[in-house]
Amino acid sequence: MLNKIPRHLFAVLMLGMVSQIGQVLLLRELLMVFHGNELSIGIILSAWLLWVGVGSRLGAHLLERVDRPVFLLAFSALGVLFAFPATILCIRSLRSFFHVLPGAYLSLWEMAVSSFLLMAPVCFLLGTQFVFLSRLWRMEDKGEDTSGAGKTYVGEAAGSMMGGIFFTFILVHFLNSFQSAALVALTMLFTILMISHRGQLKKRKITALASLTLVTLGAGGFFFLERLDGWAHELLWRHFSPHHELVGIYPSKHGNIAVLQREDQFSFFQSGHLIFSTAGPETTIPGLEEQEAVTFAHFSMVQHKYPEQVLLIGGGLRGMLGEIAKHPVLRVDYLELDEVLTEAARPFVTPRTFEALEDPRISLIHTDARLFVKETKNKYDMIIVDAPDPATAVLNRHYTLEFFREARSRLNPGGVLVLGATSTPDLRGTAVANRNATLYHTLSSVFAHVYAAGERFLFYFASDDPHQISLDVATLRARYRERQIEAEGFSELHYHVLLQDQQLRRVNWILTNHGRTSDAHLKGPGAPPISPGPLKAQREWAQALPPVDSRYFINSDFKPIGYFYTLMFWDQLTRDRQRDTLKGLLHIQPWWLVPLMLIPLTLVLVLGHPSIRPGQRTGVSFAVLFTVFTTGLSTMTMQVALLFSFQSIYGFIYEMVGLIVALFMFGLALGAFFTQRHVADKTNLRTLALVQLLMALLACLMAFILPWAGAIPSAAVVLTLFSTLTFAAGLINGMDFPLATACSMAQTGKAEQSAGKIYGMELMGACVGAAAASAVVAPVLGIAACFYLAAAANGTAFLTLLISRSSHV
């Protein structure tokens, strides 16, 4: 039985495993440099796909000149062994190549340039291996068709599935990035060396040499890679924040946690994004960071007359918890997502922060806030969200329409929701005005009464009871005084500073009026009157204003425009010359898709005309290549949209990305295997067209189902649904490749050239789809628009195939 197993099968599986593990590793590393910005996910994936596609095309040409596939495989694997760890090291030092201020985000262009340059060596080498292994499989079968490429495609997909599972459950828990990269690359080289010689004596020598290499790596190499990982982390943070000292790196399933110190200030980052800063344990007087927490706590708590049951989301480790406990509360549930973050903070924060956790009224719960709010049966008088600005999709989940509805359902009658966001005096700047007006209008669509107060930090208070929340200084001072609170750095006089009448009127006038015209998101708010009316009068006038433009001023899970505006705002603060890059994307309109659909249909009609290259089926060749391109585009668009959706609902992308992609690859392998084994006439264009129609229908189904799925309270049900849809997308995509390669070979008569061309074209389409979906379509037009784009692309391919087929019947 073992003799029937192709000798290169393990090399094919290793190609899939290394490709999948490499993709996830580099994605995680780049996300850390890109501050966890999900806009970069599509850029990173598109860079990966582009270079793998280029590698497969050039690998086919190289094989025609050097017909030694095993030698080329070994050379390529050796290159991966050196290029993989080197790429990780270059990523960690990436910021040193750009002139950026400490803490500033890299622009979209810088993300794109760096991703495409850094991905090139590893991805190009992996792309060539697909063609080399396809030739080996065809030689093994002694065939002349593209079945070798189809089998390689199935084997690589199966290896990718195994790689995703292996990384998620083993590698990520026991090895660092350098160790993981070296281990899988060395194993790939070992499997290729095992098939390079048939002689038993040579095999024993090669096995002994490889075993000795592995032992040496395990004894000394892994220790060196451990030191290299620590040094590379120091290099990364030295360029990110040169005035801070890196004092600790703590791996977590939610993203690596870095602790940086400057004098007695400690800052905590997760996946490159600042979570909070706090004064150190030796500080006797609250510093600026803790002062902000003190102000937030006491300004929030007096917004309810009798706050007995409180839910605090984040913020406890920077000092919020102890201040809330000074109020007459009976129970405080404090939610912190990451247990590793809590333990990492313990040696670096003031003792009184953790002393608050000893209070019997306080319960620390490590869980996702969205999941907790959705599933808990508890009711609260106040829900306070002390989270960073919505600069990523995972942070934006605490500022969306869906979350506000979920929070409202967990409030007692007269309950209050409190949150905040960075601002500017009088909301100067289009981006910050757009973002903060979006939060205001989103809250107002859920709660009957919403007040905003602040200057450089804007507090939002929302309730259905107009007598509960208040911006009246006398009222808030009286509540604070009645509770007999003693707080360092805060007194009842602070409410006069926080609630200056004219400033309150201007801010609320801007928030109320901005976002009610079709071009408000591009122009920003108009200047407020010199002396806006009282807040009560403003609310009465607002009833006569035009409705809010929900497309650009309602933030939701499936249209996360709030975090797009936050990125615009951060670019304006730190990157003056790049400030118009993101703003330009707001001009994109859905109808732009129509001419893009008409172009291929027109081309296939022209190329199919008998006067164009008589006797050659030019129109058919174009239709097949376009179909493969759209398959890659639509599949990756749907995959990105599924990742964004899962991120929006449960926020586990960093932890689960390997497993989610493994499910897709499992479907891909099964679809390709089924088609390879059971479809007799693979050159039938009608069969290929039906696959396109099936994918278009699936995309439309996803667009309908996913917004509804977000309201499902059970995490297990949602995970099952996402897994099923991801598997289905992979299954249909897998059916496409064997059919397309067979149709292409029917035109060219060359097996490896057809395989390389089809594989490369599919990856080109996936490259375009990944970049368009994550950087443009999902944040600006919405996640559902990604599925409609995929449906339009496959629908166009369906029509293109039918037209080309009819013109040659």
Side-chain angles (χ1 to χ4, degrees), residues 417-460:
L417 173 66
V418 180
L419 54 93
T422 305
S423 187
T424 58
D426 291 342
L427 295 169
R428 294 169 191 160
T430 300
V432 70
N434 286 354
R435 196 276 306 281
N436 288 348
T438 296
L439 298 184
Y440 178 84
H441 292 310
T442 306
L443 277 167
S444 297
S445 66
V446 177
F447 292 91
H449 303 278
V450 179
Y451 291 148
E455 188 175 49
R456 296 191 179 276
F457 187 85
L458 208 57
F459 299 89
Y460 294 90

Side-chain angles (χ1 to χ4, degrees), residues 328-385:
V329 295
L330 299 181
R331 186 179 86 243
V332 178
D333 288 340
Y334 166 41
L335 303 184
E336 191 63 65
L337 173 65
D338 198 343
E339 188 173 0
V340 175
L341 176 62
T342 304
E343 292 306 310
R346 192 174 292 274
F348 304 112
V349 301
T350 56
R352 57 180 169 270
T353 295
F354 281 95
E355 287 172 4
L357 293 175
E358 304 299 323
D359 190 321
R361 300 172 298 167
I362 295 175
S363 298
L364 171 61
I365 305 171
H366 289 110
T367 187
D368 177 67
R370 288 290 299 271
L371 186 62
F372 179 86
V373 171
K374 188 176 291 187
E375 293 184 341
T376 186
K377 302 301 181 183
N378 296 335
K379 293 284 188 174
Y380 299 95
D381 299 313
M382 297 193 72
I383 296 178
I384 302 174
V385 180

Side-chain angles (χ1 to χ4, degrees), residues 482-527:
E482 288 171 3
R483 298 173 190 178
Q484 299 179 346
I485 297 170
E486 295 182 3
E488 295 182 16
F490 192 89
S491 72
E492 61 183 82
L493 297 177
H494 278 79
Y495 296 116
H496 290 277
V497 179
L498 294 168
L499 299 169
Q500 297 179 30
D501 185 60
Q502 286 300 313
Q503 194 269 341
L504 279 176
R505 293 186 183 191
R506 289 194 300 271
V507 166
N508 281 272
W509 188 93
I510 294 171
L511 293 175
T512 303
N513 286 269
H514 186 44
R516 298 181 184 274
T517 60
S518 60
D519 60 351
H521 61 292
L522 299 173
K523 291 185 176 181

Side-chain angles (χ1 to χ4, degrees), residues 602-621:
T602 304
L603 281 174
V604 78
L605 284 170
V606 172
L607 293 173
H609 196 274
S611 62
I612 305 295
R613 303 182 70 177
Q616 298 189 33
R617 304 182 69 184
T618 310
V620 173
S621 297

